[in-house]
Amino acid sequence: MSVVPQISREALLAQLRDAVGAAHVLTDDQATRRFRKGHRTGEGPVLAVVRPGTLLEQWKVLQAAVAAGRIVIMQAANTGLTGGSTPDGANYDREIVLVNTLRITGVQVIAGGEQVVCLPGATLDKLEQTLAPLGREPHSVIGSSCIGASVLGGICNNSGGALVRRGPAYTELALYARVKDDGTLELVNHLGIALGNTPEEILTRLQNGDYVEADVERDTGRAASDARYAQDVRAVDADTPARFNADPSRLFEASGSAGKVCLFAVRLDTFPKEPSTVFYIGSNTPDDLTAVRRHLLTALPRPPIAGEYIHRTAFDIGEKYGKDTFLLIDRFGTARVPAAFALKSRCDGFFERLGMRGFVDHAIQAVTRLLPSHLPRRVRQWRDLYEHHLLVRVSNDQVEATRAFLAEHFAPAHTAGGWFECDAEEGRKAFLHRFAIAGAAIRYREVHRSEVEDIVALDIALRRNDREWVEQLPQDVERDVVHKLYYGHFFCHVFHQDYIVKKGVDPLAMEHRMWELLDARRAEYPAEHNVGHLYVAKPALAGFYQSLDPTNTFNPGIGHTPRGRNWQECNHASGGWPKGYSENA
């Protein structure tokens, strides 16, 4: 059991300033707002936001915070959707040091480009740019990359999965620090790269790229990606989901850790970039999309690259309220998105202090409403014709087989659905529209505050053999919802379900009601955004967290687990052991 040290906040702040410089230790409420307030949910006070500029500075910050007995929350881009990288209220038994790592950028190419080493501030967008000249791609090429998400954040959350052949973000090769059960700090080098012996030497050499190919172990016996996923997802008759966050087989050290360790670097596989073609499919009969999914996953020599579902309501909300995100990425690329988010956060904070919450959202919405439609003509036509939309991307060696199947399935006599083969611009914009939908509910909420209480946002994994994938809500739930947004990774049977809740309705009660409905369907949740502070961590996941962090120093309360030191109940918090779990599990 760790001993509780005594040190004043002033003394700790002085140590943190010595470690990273006074300019990078933020304590003012306005300066810390964009770090301690989640992208979609979650917010709470912190002692300080600390922004180290090197791996060694990150280590020194961690040493000081742990020695002082404070909570540490690690954060990179703060783009999570479940509040898992910010405080959740003020119900903690210790002060919080929030460590934001975005200043520590770096992507190091190894193994002739077949692998990379990513530092804490590396974004998916930066990784994609680094690999492009090599003709290779990272695990994820669109999705979270649109909002500037970090590579390490994806690993910690087992996130991603839009690309069917690559599955959730995963690696067994990482450099991280953990607090042992006696309260001491330990640096663990499982990168498979010889970098020295002391933390100072290891971190400095890695930061500088001070190693050669001979230092890189090729046959580590550890995976740098989820190689089995493509086969898992093709098992369309399996009675279980293809992937979900609490799957014990995909929890390993940093992978799925949800911030319960302090991550310094990960080593990942890269993938050859393949020429591809997009098919746009629409239907008013869900069984059509089921038939497409099952055939393309089982009959093609290789599975499709991606398959994204959009319901008509999600299409409409995304077209109107995700328009600014679409246009920003379309015109300037994903690299500009983090800066745009940061600017908006600062502006939001300014107007909130003037009592004008939502002013920026209203202004942006007023401007974008005046602009012409940003979607291709044929995509808009399909919106009018069909309720259910499916975007399928296949590698060009699979185009003929895909085209032949669609032509046969949607024969002229078939009136419920149709398809067309996208040109490059149509395909790019169709997928960009799909991913702009993800933030559209947030804009809708801010613009319609007088009518909307909040958003209940779920990401769920249905069983692979489930043919009843279109949700039917009971009337007592339906009447409390303004809009339902359904979209997701259709081939994986992973769906994002955003419910815009009417004013006066308790969102938490509705969420718990939704969980009951999902349990009855034998769905798993969350599927890819991790539990954050919204979901209850299932026993296997909660046990994994405790094994990584026996003193409960990092991100306590995640998944509704206890927030107190050493996993004790906290008198000030509502967190407790998840149902079916105990300290001795």
Side-chain angles (χ1 to χ4, degrees):
M1 198 68 68
S2 64
V3 177
V4 181
Q6 298 294 324
I7 181 172
S8 70
R9 64 172 56 187
E10 291 76 17
L12 175 56
L13 288 171
Q15 292 178 11
L16 297 174
R17 291 177 181 122
D18 285 344
V20 303
H24 301 297
V25 178
L26 312 177
T27 57
D28 176 75
D29 281 351
Q30 182 62 20
T32 61
R33 180 187 181 278
R34 70 186 180 97
F35 302 98
R36 56 182 175 78
K37 181 178 175 65
H39 172 61
R40 175 178 279 179
T41 186
E43 182 178 7
V46 296
L47 171 63
V49 172
V50 187
R51 305 187 66 215
T54 67
L55 296 177
L56 187 56
E57 286 184 2
Q58 181 175 318
W59 172 254
K60 290 178 179 179
V61 167
L62 186 60
Q63 283 181 309
V66 169
R70 265 51 172 206
I71 288 169
V72 177
I73 295 180
M74 301 301 302
Q75 178 192 91
N78 191 20
T79 57
L81 300 180
T82 58
S85 59
T86 63
D88 179 53
N91 302 322
Y92 296 89
D93 63 346
R94 294 152 287 168
E95 294 175 313
I96 295 171
V97 175
L98 194 157
V99 183
N100 181 279
T101 62
L102 274 189
R103 293 181 61 224
I104 313 175
T105 59
V107 174
Q108 300 171 1
V109 176
I110 61 174
E114 294 181 3
Q115 290 187 329
V116 290
V117 174
C118 294
L119 303 189
T123 63
L124 286 167
D125 178 74
K126 176 62 177 177
L127 178 56
E128 186 177 356
Q129 291 179 35
T130 301
L131 293 175
L134 304 177
R136 301 188 71 85
E137 292 181 332
H139 160 268
S140 179
V141 296
I142 192 168
S144 296
S145 58
C146 289
I147 53 175
S150 70
V151 176
L152 273 62
I155 292 296
C156 289
N157 293 317
N158 280 146
S159 60
L163 300 181
V164 177
R165 301 173 186 173
R166 301 177 194 177
Y170 182 81
T171 188
E172 297 171 1
L173 298 166
L175 174 65
Y176 64 93
R178 65 187 298 266
V179 178
K180 297 190 293 185
D181 56 8
D182 63 358
T184 59
L185 192 61
E186 175 187 33
L187 185 68
V188 180
N189 182 8
H190 285 166
L191 277 178
I193 302 175
L195 293 165
N197 299 309
T198 67
E200 292 75 14
E201 183 183 9
I202 292 169
L203 296 171
T204 301
R205 286 186 60 188
L206 180 61
Q207 179 89 50
N208 296 332
D210 183 18
Y211 57 89
V212 296
E213 285 292 330
D215 295 321
V216 180
E217 186 179 356
R218 298 299 296 268
D219 186 17
T220 64
R222 290 172 173 248
S225 63
D226 186 354
R228 65 185 173 89
Y229 183 72
Q231 293 307 312
D232 287 353
V233 78
R234 297 185 83 168
V236 296
D237 290 314
D239 198 36
T240 56
R243 59 183 170 97
F244 55 98
N245 282 121
D247 180 358
S249 70
R250 290 187 168 96
L251 301 175
F252 189 91
E253 296 181 353
S255 294
S257 61
K260 298 302 287 183
V261 295
C262 177
L263 195 52
F264 288 87
V266 295
R267 178 173 163 185
L268 302 169
D269 288 332
T270 69
F271 305 88
K273 184 177 178 64
E274 296 184 77
S276 62
T277 299
V278 173
F279 293 89
Y280 200 108
I281 301 163
S283 181
N284 293 314
T285 303
D287 287 347
D288 275 337
L289 272 58
T290 296
V292 171
R293 171 180 173 267
R294 293 177 64 86
H295 178 87
L296 295 185
L297 282 177
T298 58
L300 295 181
R302 292 189 299 159
I305 293 172
E308 293 297 308
Y309 170 74
I310 308 172
H311 184 267
R312 179 186 277 157
T313 303
F315 185 109
D316 292 344
I317 298 293
E319 182 180 19
K320 184 173 182 180
Y321 296 93
K323 193 172 188 177
D324 58 310
T325 300
F326 181 104
L327 293 174
L328 175 65
I329 297 170
D330 187 43
R331 303 292 172 83
F332 301 107
T334 56
R336 300 288 184 90
V337 176
F341 270 50
L343 176 61
K344 182 179 181 297
S345 179
R346 286 192 290 270
C347 292
D348 284 340
F350 172 80
F351 285 106
E352 281 180 16
R353 293 201 309 276
L354 299 178
M356 301 171 65
R357 177 175 178 172
F359 176 83
V360 178
D361 287 287
H362 280 277
I364 293 173
Q365 199 59 35
V367 172
T368 57
R369 190 180 296 121
L370 301 175
L371 301 176
S373 176
H374 53 289
L375 298 180
R377 177 183 56 83
R378 285 201 291 181
V379 170
R380 287 184 280 115
Q381 288 177 338
W382 248 238
R383 178 264 168 227
D384 294 336
L385 290 170
Y386 305 117
E387 179 180 3
H388 305 283
H389 298 238
L390 179 61
L391 287 59
V392 178
R393 183 183 295 279
V394 299
S395 50
N396 281 351
D397 60 348
Q398 313 290 313
V399 168
E400 288 298 333
T402 304
R403 187 186 293 135
F405 166 73
L406 293 176
E408 179 181 356
H409 183 82
F410 295 99
H414 189 110
T415 59
W419 64 282
F420 65 87
E421 189 172 329
C422 296
D423 61 32
E425 187 75 352
E426 288 173 325
R428 184 181 66 81
K429 288 189 173 182
F431 267 87
L432 181 51
H433 175 53
R434 153 62 187 93
F435 290 106
I437 290 170
I442 302 173
R443 169 64 49 72
Y444 187 99
R445 177 188 63 189
E446 295 306 313
V447 173
H448 297 275
R449 277 284 176 185
S450 61
E451 308 158 30
V452 173
E453 188 67 32
D454 210 335
I455 302 166
V456 172
L458 303 176
D459 71 294
I460 70 167
L462 298 181
R463 291 169 292 132
R464 284 166 280 181
N465 65 352
D466 193 345
R467 294 174 182 264
E468 303 298 324
W469 52 271
V470 177
E471 183 176 63
Q472 301 296 325
L473 290 179
Q475 188 56 41
D476 65 314
V477 176
E478 187 82 48
R479 69 188 179 204
D480 291 336
V481 176
V482 179
H483 290 297
K484 301 171 295 183
L485 279 66
Y486 298 115
Y487 53 99
H489 315 308
F490 189 67
F491 288 151
C492 310
H493 256 198
V494 167
F495 292 86
H496 302 294
Q497 303 183 169
D498 296 346
Y499 307 91
I500 302 175
V501 181
K502 289 181 179 178
K503 198 72 173 178
V505 175
D506 181 357
L508 185 59
M510 175 172 282
E511 183 170 13
H512 291 173
R513 178 78 170 99
M514 295 293 188
W515 292 352
E516 294 174 3
L517 298 175
L518 292 173
D519 290 341
R521 297 173 70 188
R522 295 167 56 203
E524 290 283 355
Y525 53 92
E528 63 178 11
H529 288 158
N530 219 311
V531 289
H533 290 286
L534 296 184
Y535 299 91
V536 175
K538 293 191 174 183
L541 190 58
F544 176 63
Y545 292 159
Q546 191 184 21
S547 69
L548 291 176
D549 184 21
T551 66
N552 210 17
T553 294
F554 293 105
N555 214 2
I558 202 80
H560 292 244
T561 55
R563 299 187 178 199
R565 192 189 308 272
N566 297 319
W567 295 84
Q568 299 300 306
E569 297 291 355
C570 178
N571 292 333
H572 305 290
S574 58
W577 290 105
K579 185 177 180 181
Y581 185 82
S582 70
E583 292 183 67
N584 299 318

